[in-house]
């Protein structure tokens, strides 16, 4: 459990920071305790309004996870979170919020230089000047069903088949009509000479007997 | 950690928080830490904090007999005084605060009650023999942790003694209550009235009583109620009051039962109940539903005739739109019950199954996959809390008997393994359950311990599966204990191999059966085993953090894999293959504790029959936690790369090289190929491994792979992410043959261009916008339909779905429009007639011409 081992000074300092900056991060070694740094940050979820499939983001459902589940923190209503007693080193912070894709954040807590934290998004290696985590993108969990349209039926295999059939039924006789009657006669003659091509004649055995 | 707060929620009040040996005073106004006082150096086990406006007393034991009281200034946190008293005997158990400054505690032989009184920092103590208060004090006395003002409850055997502590520190026995189950804390219902509740067992009923702390004789409430004995004993009780219309006080009681279910009791009735035991699922198996019987028995119809009529009347009302809201709900329920999805019979596609889950409390639930309802639930008799079995826990559940050939008329049964306590050496119980009814068929208290259970690939004539249970003393026991099972085992004696992993020593051993046990009592079901091989990892550089093997019931469709250039690769498919991940000891902790220089991750693939290391790989600058899944000839594992500071996933595919030269056609012609040679685990085929790594964004809680009936369908990885969602990722993304610029032929085969990270497509979350809170495990079961796999994810929430990794190619989709099909057919027929008529007419015209 997170314990309250930070000093009054620290609290005041943080309050001060928050009051002058819209958001900020700060950390400080805790006097008395050997390995206590505190990571402060803020999660900002832009309210995209009520999109069709995105559920309204509830701040209380957002989890901030340190080092793959070592510690879990929740957000205050204004989006701030903190981890106390974090040892110096390189840590990983992940934000789990339904409907949003957050990049994990690499957090370097410096031991030599107290008061120094460096944060960078691991997905795009972008450094953060202030510890404000914003979603990289919104997540759509559902595929949008194609609305019913006459085009989708026409484009479907069955629709194409029907279209082809219609073409054959109605357009082919028209094409025949447009042909020159003499040429037609010649073609028919030729066909008669060759004999009616049948399935049997296509088979190799039958062809030989011809 | 002790939290203490003033009852009056005044704004100026201090909130005192004690944690990690340090007392913090926090302002009630803005949450500022006003002062802190470190007690860590005093080695005191702080158990009580008494707050008064001026001074704060911090009391507790140092060791087991020295009682210390520290006096701290409430304003500044300055230590004013410290005082201690050494008791002439050791104490046992927790001390209980009876009133503001009085504590009671038992001595180490539990024969004396010690009352400690701190008055302005001065410590006085009295002691009294338990035998002075109760005649029969032979049992172990325990102070119950209920907080009652001026009172405490002492439990001896099944009796509870209520003892009043007077202002002078005298102990007076108030009452003796038999067969008590649980006591609640005191509840203040008015300025000076404190009440508490307790429950007593009476034959097969339980009695709930609410009494005033000060007025012992009158009971405010006395209710009898019947609770299903499946729920076990009452563990805890909480009360809360409400004011009735006649201004008297009514009480509700919330009971926590032994099977972790919750009951709310009001006016002698259970208002609602919740099966909260389902939040702690420890193991899952599935069972087929009964085969649908032809015809319905007459008795069943007669019994349900009235129900049937009622249902139809309801439905009629529904269609006539005269049903009330309640009736509408009933109609919905009826529809759901009669719907195809929730039937209690086997379906053609194998979608309907029973999910049998074992909870930590030792209760077994059967959940229907159609609608998630509880079909039956059983608290195992052997896993009930008792004198010999104080902390029973459920461990594993196995399919014991799956009748499908010889014994179709028998119900399938399950094997449940439980243990009395957390240690491996605790006594073990096994139990056999009927999978359709949940009836306990048999239960055994084992004389031996259970370290591991190995389901063998053999069944007897009644289709009972043979199981070997390995105990901690290196014995293997065969179950079922029948002569037939022994016969089967004797036949396969030399074919049984298994391995054991000793994480602490960094050793993996292979074992085989040797001979019967040599005991005083001859037990022909007991065997000793020998070590075949052992792999010792260097303890200074490697520590075992994960081992994964293939699922024994996995089906592989084909061993051959055709490459793009019409080359054939043969998958190395062996059931006896083990994946081991070792981390450097310095980096075996959590992320953030090690630097990239000192972290390495070493991966082994080991044959468990011969102990041969098939493949070894090192990931520098990487560390655990490792989650892995092994399927067919590949393993996919997830770990953390410290250099890039990102999670990574790697795949290793193992191919059999000894069969690779079979592609020469002349060898086939001359009969020189070795394809017909038997595959044996004793051979040492030449193998080759291919591997590739990718970045993956999220931390992972569990990885599974889909399993289908015949293994033809392509596979998807199911990844339980840190955000408690389940992501389905095509295995194609984890293919070592991916290259930056795949050739046209490779593209046609479906090889995806190589990217440095695995894509997370939000539509492929199979949980969609739901969350499986506290996700712990994912289980996949094949459906009968080849394209479909059933997925069950459990954590605090339970989630079930069916997925088709290559879409449902063998059945029409749910949204297939039958209407459109019919419409097309009708249109075609109509067109046929129309064209027929038209052509007839045209023919006629031609003839007239």
């Amino acid at each position: 459990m997170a314990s309250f081992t930070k000093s009054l000074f620290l609290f005041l300092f943080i309050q001060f920071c928050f009051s002058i900056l819209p958001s900020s991060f700060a950390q400080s070694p805790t006097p008395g305790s050997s390995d206590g740094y505190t990571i402060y940050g803020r999660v900002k979820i832009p309210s995209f309004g009520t999109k069709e499939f995105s559920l309204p983001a509830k701040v209380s459902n957002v989890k901030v996870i340190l080092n793959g589940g070592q510690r879990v923190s929740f957000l205050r209503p204004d989006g701030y979170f903190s981890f106390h007693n974090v040892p110096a080193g390189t840590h990983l912070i992940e934000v789990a919020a339904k409907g949003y894709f957050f990049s994990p954040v690499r957090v370097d807590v410096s031991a030599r230089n107290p008061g120094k934290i460096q944060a960078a998004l691991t997905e795009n290696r972008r450094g953060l000047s202030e510890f404000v985590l914003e979603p990289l993108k919104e997540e759509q969990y559902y595929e949008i069903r194609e609305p019913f349209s006459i085009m989708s039926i026409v484009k479907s295999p069955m629709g194409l088949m029907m279209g082809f059939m219609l073409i054959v039924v109605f357009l082919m006789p028209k094409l025949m009509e447009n042909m020159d009657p003499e040429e037609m006669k010649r073609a028919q003659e030729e066909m008669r000479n060759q004999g009616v091509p049948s399935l049997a004649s296509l088979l190799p055995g039958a062809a030989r007997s011809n | 950690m002790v939290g203490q707060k003033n009852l009056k929620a005044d704004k100026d009040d201090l909130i005192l928080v004690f944690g990690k040996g340090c007392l913090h005073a926090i302002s009630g106004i803005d949450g500022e830490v006003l002062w802190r006082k470190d007690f860590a150096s005093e080695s005191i086990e702080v158990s009580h904090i008494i707050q008064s406006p001026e001074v704060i007393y911090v009391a507790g034991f140092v060791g087991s007999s020295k009682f210390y009281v520290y006096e701290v200034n409430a304003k500044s946190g300055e230590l004013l005084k410290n005082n201690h008293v050494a008791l002439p005997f050791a104490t046992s158990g927790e001390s209980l605060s009876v009133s503001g400054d009085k504590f009671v505690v038992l001595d180490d032989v539990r024969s004396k009650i010690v009352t400690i009184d701190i008055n302005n920092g001065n410590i006085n103590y009295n002691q009294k023999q338990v035998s002075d208060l109760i005649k029969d004090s032979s049992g172990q006395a325990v102070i119950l942790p209920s907080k009652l003002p001026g009172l405490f409850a002492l439990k001896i055997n099944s009796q509870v003694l209520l003892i009043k502590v007077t202002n002078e520190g005298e102990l007076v026995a108030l009452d003796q209550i038999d067969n008590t189950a649980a006591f609640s804390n005191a509840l203040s219902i008015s300025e000076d009235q404190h009440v508490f509740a307790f429950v007593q067992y009476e034959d097969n009923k339980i009695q709930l009583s609410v009494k005033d702390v000060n007025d012992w004789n009158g009971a405010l409430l006395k209710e009898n109620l019947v609770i299903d004995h499946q729920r076990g004993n009452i563990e805890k009780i909480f009360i809360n009051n409400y004011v009735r219309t006649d201004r008297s006080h009514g009480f509700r009681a919330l009971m926590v039962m032994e099977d972790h279910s919750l009951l709310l009791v009001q006016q002698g009735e259970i208002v609602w109940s919740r099966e909260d035991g389902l939040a702690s699922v420890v193991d899952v198996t599935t069972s087929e539903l009964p085969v649908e019987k032809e015809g319905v028995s007459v008795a069943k119809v007669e019994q349900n005739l009235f129900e049937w009529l009622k249902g139809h009347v309801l439905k009629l009302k529904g269609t006539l739109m005269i049903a009330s809201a309640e009736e509408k709900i009933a109609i919905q329920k009826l529809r759901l019950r009669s719907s195809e999805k929730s039937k209690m019979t086997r379906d053609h596609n194998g979608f309907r199954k029973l999910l049998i889950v074992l909870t930590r409390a030792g209760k077994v639930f059967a959940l229907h996959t159609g609608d998630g309802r509880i079909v039956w639930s059983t608290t195992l008799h052997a896993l009930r809390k008792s004198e010999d079995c104080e902390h029973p826990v459920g461990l594993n559940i196995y399919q014991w008997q799956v009748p499908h050939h010889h014994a179709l008329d028998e119900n399938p049964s399950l094997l449940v393994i439980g243990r009395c306590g957390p240690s491996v050496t605790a006594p073990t119980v096994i139990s056999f359950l009927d999978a359709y009814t949940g009836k306990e068929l048999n239960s055994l208290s084992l004389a031996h311990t259970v370290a591991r259970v190995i389901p063998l690939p053999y069944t007897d004539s009644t289709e009972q599966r043979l199981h070997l249970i390995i105990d901690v003393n290196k014995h293997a026991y065969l179950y079922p204990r029948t002569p037939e099972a022994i016969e089967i085992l004797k036949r396969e004696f030399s074919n049984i191999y298994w391995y054991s992993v000793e994480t602490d020593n960094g050793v993996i051993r292979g074992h085989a059966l040797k001979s019967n046990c040599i005991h005083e009592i001859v037990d022909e079901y007991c065997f000793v085993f020998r070590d075949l091989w052992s792999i010792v990892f260097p303890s200074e550089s490697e520590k075992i953090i994960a081992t994964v093997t293939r699922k024994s019931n996995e089906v592989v469709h084909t061993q051959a894999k055709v490459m793009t250039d019409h080359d054939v690769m043969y998958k190395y498919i062996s059931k006896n293959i083990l994946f081991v991940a070792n981390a450097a000891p310095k980096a075996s902790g959590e992320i953030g504790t090690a630097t990239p220089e000192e972290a390495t991750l070493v991966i082994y693939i080991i044959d468990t029959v011969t102990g041969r290391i098939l493949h070894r790989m090192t990931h520098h600058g990487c560390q655990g936690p490792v989650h892995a899944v092994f399927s067919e000839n590949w393993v996919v594992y997830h770990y953390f790369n410290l250099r890039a500071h990102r999670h990574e996933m790697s795949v290793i595919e193992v191919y059999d090289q000894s069969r690779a030269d079979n592609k020469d056609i002349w060898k086939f012609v001359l009969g020189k190929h070795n394809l017909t040679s038997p595959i044996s685990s004793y051979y040492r085929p030449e193998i080759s491994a291919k591997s590739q790594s990718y970045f993956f964004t999220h931390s992972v809680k569990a990885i599974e792979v889909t399993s289908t009936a015949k293994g033809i369908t392509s596979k998807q990885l199911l990844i339980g992410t840190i955000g408690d969602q389940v992501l389905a990722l095509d295995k194609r993304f984890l293919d070592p043959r991916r290259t930056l610029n795949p050739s046209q032929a490779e593209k046609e085969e479906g090889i995806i261009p190589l990217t440095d990270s695995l894509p997370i497509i939000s539509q492929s979350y199979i949980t969609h916008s739901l969350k499986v809170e506290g996700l712990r495990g994912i289980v996949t079961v094949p459906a009968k339909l080849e394209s479909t796999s059933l997925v069950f994810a459990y954590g605090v929430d339970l989630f079930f779905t069916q997925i088709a990794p290559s879409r449902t190619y063998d059945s029409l989709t749910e949204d297939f429009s039958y209407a459109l099909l019919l419409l097309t057919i009708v249109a075609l027929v109509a067109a046929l007639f129309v064209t027929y008529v038209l052509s007839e007419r045209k023919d006629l015209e031609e003839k007239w011409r």
Side-chain angles (χ1 to χ4, degrees), chain B residues 750-796:
Chain B
I751 289 184
I752 304 158
L754 184 63
T755 47
D756 65 337
S757 58
L758 295 170
I760 292 174
I761 305 153
S762 49
Q763 275 99 332
S764 54
Y765 279 109
I766 59 166
T767 45
H768 299 301
S769 63
L770 298 170
K771 244 172 146 185
V772 190
E773 191 65 50
L775 180 76
R776 282 198 307 273
I778 303 168
V779 177
T780 61
V781 196
K784 255 188 226 158
L785 198 66
E786 170 55 30
S787 66
T788 312
S789 180
L790 310 178
V791 180
F792 179 62
Y794 59 90
V796 177

Side-chain angles (χ1 to χ4, degrees), chain A residues 43-182:
Chain A
V43 173
K44 231 180 183 175
I45 296 177
S47 50
F48 281 102
T50 46
K51 267 202 176 174
E52 239 179 293
F53 297 108
S54 67
L55 299 159
K58 251 193 194 167
V59 172
S60 57
N61 285 343
V62 178
K63 278 187 204 163
V64 186
I65 300 149
L66 182 73
N67 292 343
Q70 188 185 1
R71 283 193 225 165
V72 177
S73 179
F74 295 90
L75 297 186
R76 295 203 328 214
D78 52 2
Y80 287 99
F81 66 88
S82 55
F83 287 104
H84 304 280
N85 262 351
V86 180
T90 310
H91 303 275
L92 187 77
I93 286 182
E94 287 166 277
V95 180
K98 220 161 52 183
Y100 298 96
F101 179 83
F102 280 89
S103 163
V105 188
R106 173 200 176 119
V107 182
D108 289 292
V109 179
S110 164
R112 254 184 251 155
N113 202 350
K116 185 90 176 156
I117 269 191
Q118 280 182 328
L121 299 181
T122 61
E123 282 291 284
N124 47 19
R125 290 161 201 264
R126 194 162 59 83
L128 293 177
S129 54
E130 43 179 27
F131 208 159
V132 181
L133 309 180
E134 283 180 81
L136 290 186
K137 61 173 192 242
E138 262 190 280
E139 292 198 318
Q140 293 287 346
Y141 296 117
Y142 297 99
E143 282 172 42
I144 297 160
R145 189 193 285 271
E146 293 277 316
F148 180 82
S149 72
I150 204 81
M151 274 315 282
S152 70
I153 292 180
V154 172
K155 274 185 191 162
S156 73
M158 219 146 3
L160 287 175
M161 234 162 70
M162 272 170 71
F164 182 71
M165 266 174 56
L166 287 176
I167 289 170
V168 170
V169 170
F170 293 106
L171 288 183
M172 283 300 264
K174 290 258 159 45
L175 283 174
M176 298 283 268
E177 270 168 31
N178 288 349
M179 265 168 98
D180 191 29
E182 289 210 356

Side-chain angles (χ1 to χ4, degrees), chain B residues 19-30:
Chain B
K20 281 189 185 162
C22 193
L23 181 72
H24 305 258
I26 295 164
S27 161
I29 303 164
D30 52 6

Side-chain angles (χ1 to χ4, degrees), chain B residues 275 277-278 355-357 359 363-367 374 376-378:
Chain B
E275 293 288 357
L278 282 173
L355 292 165
I356 319 275
V357 300
T359 65
K363 194 170 186 178
V364 183
F365 293 88
L367 309 174
I374 296 168
W376 53 260
S377 63
T378 312

Side-chain angles (χ1 to χ4, degrees), chain B residues 799-849:
Chain B
F799 176 82
F800 175 82
T801 190
Q802 58 197 43
I803 59 169
S806 322
R807 306 258 164 177
T808 47
Y809 56 81
D810 49 3
S811 67
L812 296 171
T813 53
E814 263 177 47
D815 55 349
F816 179 80
S817 163
Y818 288 93
L820 192 65
L821 181 69
L822 278 177
L823 210 76
T824 319
I825 292 169
V826 169
L828 279 174
V829 169
L832 207 69
F833 273 101
V834 170
T835 46
Y836 177 73
V837 171
L838 284 178
S839 72
E840 285 279 290
R841 200 177 290 166
K842 203 168 181 193
D843 258 7
L844 201 65
E845 271 172 27
E846 292 257 307
K847 278 177 186 164
W848 275 109
R849 202 178 280 173

Side-chain angles (χ1 to χ4, degrees), chain B residues 497-537:
Chain B
Y497 295 92
W498 72 95
Y499 66 92
S500 62
V501 180
E502 292 165 34
T503 317
D504 300 335
N505 308 334
V507 183
I508 295 178
R509 287 178 212 282
H511 307 286
L513 289 174
K514 193 170 152 198
S515 61
N516 272 81
C517 296
I518 307 140
H519 276 315
E520 287 106 76
I521 317 146
V522 179
D523 183 1
E524 56 176 331
Y525 301 102
C526 168
F527 299 91
V528 286
F529 52 84
R530 62 202 158 100
D531 291 355
L532 292 175
W533 50 265
S534 62
I535 297 172
V536 184
F537 297 111

